[in-house]
Amino acid sequence: MKQFKIWQAPVFAFFSTQFYRDLATNGKGVGFIYLLALLSLSCLINPVRQYFELNDFMAHSGMEVVEQFPAIKIEQGKLSIDKPSPCYISAGDTNFIGFFADEPSQSQIGEDSTPLIVTTSELRLKTANSESKEIVLPFKDLEKFTLTKADIERMFRISCLTVPVCTYLILTSLGWIGHILQALGYSIVALIMAKLIHLECKYEGL
């Protein structure tokens, strides 16, 4: 017979060993679902904090970065911007994107330390490995493409919501899988030990 009601679980789950004995004896899966729900709630802490931190960044430093972006237009594989060339996007004192409305020479690109360089015909991403290789993505297959400041700001704001949501889903999924495997492992060990010492297992939850 159950000793504890469902509304008592949030209190007794923190300290009562008798609560867990009752759960293993009479729970039959309901208690395990409750524990998974409790795990889901505990996983909310980091994503919620991440959401507020990203929105705070967007309200201050993020908008400073967005304001530096030019309006980008690609037609027939050729890029054009509405700002003087070269146009650099920086965070603090560090440039991380450079736009060139004209085609720079190989020496200019080689001397430029900006990780991401966008020319009239291609995008060049410098890798951080010792060989200093580049990933080159040409625009030749793009017939028409436009990107404005409003589009970039919208992407930033969407990411402020999607990143915490994805973080929560990943943490919850991994937590569920980990705890299910842990519970199954403990149950199998308990059943094996009960068989070895000829002990009758009365916990139906196992």
Side-chain angles (χ1 to χ4, degrees), residues 39 42-44 46-47 166-177:
L39 175 66
S42 66
C43 287
L44 277 172
N46 284 333
C166 291
T167 300
Y168 174 72
L169 293 176
I170 292 170
L171 288 176
T172 305
S173 301
L174 293 177
W176 281 2
I177 294 170

Side-chain angles (χ1 to χ4, degrees), residues 147-167:
L147 187 67
T148 64
K149 286 182 184 178
D151 296 327
I152 296 168
E153 182 179 353
R154 192 179 304 112
M155 287 189 293
F156 267 74
R157 295 197 181 280
I158 290 173
S159 67
C160 289
L161 177 62
T162 55
V163 170
V165 169
C166 291
T167 300

Side-chain angles (χ1 to χ4, degrees), residues 19-180:
F19 168 76
Y20 285 99
R21 290 193 186 97
D22 182 50
L23 193 65
T25 304
N26 303 302
K28 296 182 181 179
V30 176
F32 195 66
I33 293 173
Y34 168 78
L35 293 177
L36 289 180
L38 196 64
L39 175 66
S40 301
L41 287 175
S42 66
C43 287
L44 277 172
I45 298 172
N46 284 333
V48 168
R49 183 180 62 185
Q50 191 178 51
Y51 172 79
F52 285 108
E53 288 177 350
L54 286 172
N55 277 275
D56 183 64
F57 169 80
M58 186 60 197
H60 300 92
S61 303
M63 286 307 300
E64 293 178 7
V65 173
V66 170
E67 287 300 320
Q68 298 176 54
F69 272 88
I72 301 167
K73 181 184 291 186
I74 300 176
E75 289 184 343
Q76 302 297 323
K78 294 295 181 182
L79 175 138
S80 62
I81 58 176
D82 66 345
K83 286 189 175 183
S85 175
C87 172
Y88 289 98
I89 312 301
S90 61
D93 298 327
T94 305
N95 295 330
F96 62 91
I97 302 178
F99 290 94
F100 291 84
D102 51 355
E103 195 67 37
S105 64
Q106 289 298 321
S107 60
Q108 282 181 288
I109 295 176
E111 294 170 0
D112 199 314
S113 60
T114 308
L116 180 60
I117 295 177
V118 184
T119 70
T120 56
S121 59
E122 60 193 13
L123 181 149
R124 290 174 172 264
L125 177 63
K126 296 182 179 180
T127 59
N129 59 26
S130 58
E131 298 179 1
S132 298
K133 291 183 178 179
E134 288 184 339
I135 299 173
V136 180
L137 300 174
F139 300 143
K140 61 182 180 180
D141 295 328
L142 287 175
E143 293 293 329
K144 190 173 183 180
F145 174 81
T146 57
L147 187 67
T148 64
K149 286 182 184 178
D151 296 327
I152 296 168
E153 182 179 353
R154 192 179 304 112
M155 287 189 293
F156 267 74
R157 295 197 181 280
I158 290 173
S159 67
C160 289
L161 177 62
T162 55
V163 170
V165 169
C166 291
T167 300
Y168 174 72
L169 293 176
I170 292 170
L171 288 176
T172 305
S173 301
L174 293 177
W176 281 2
I177 294 170
H179 282 75
I180 288 172

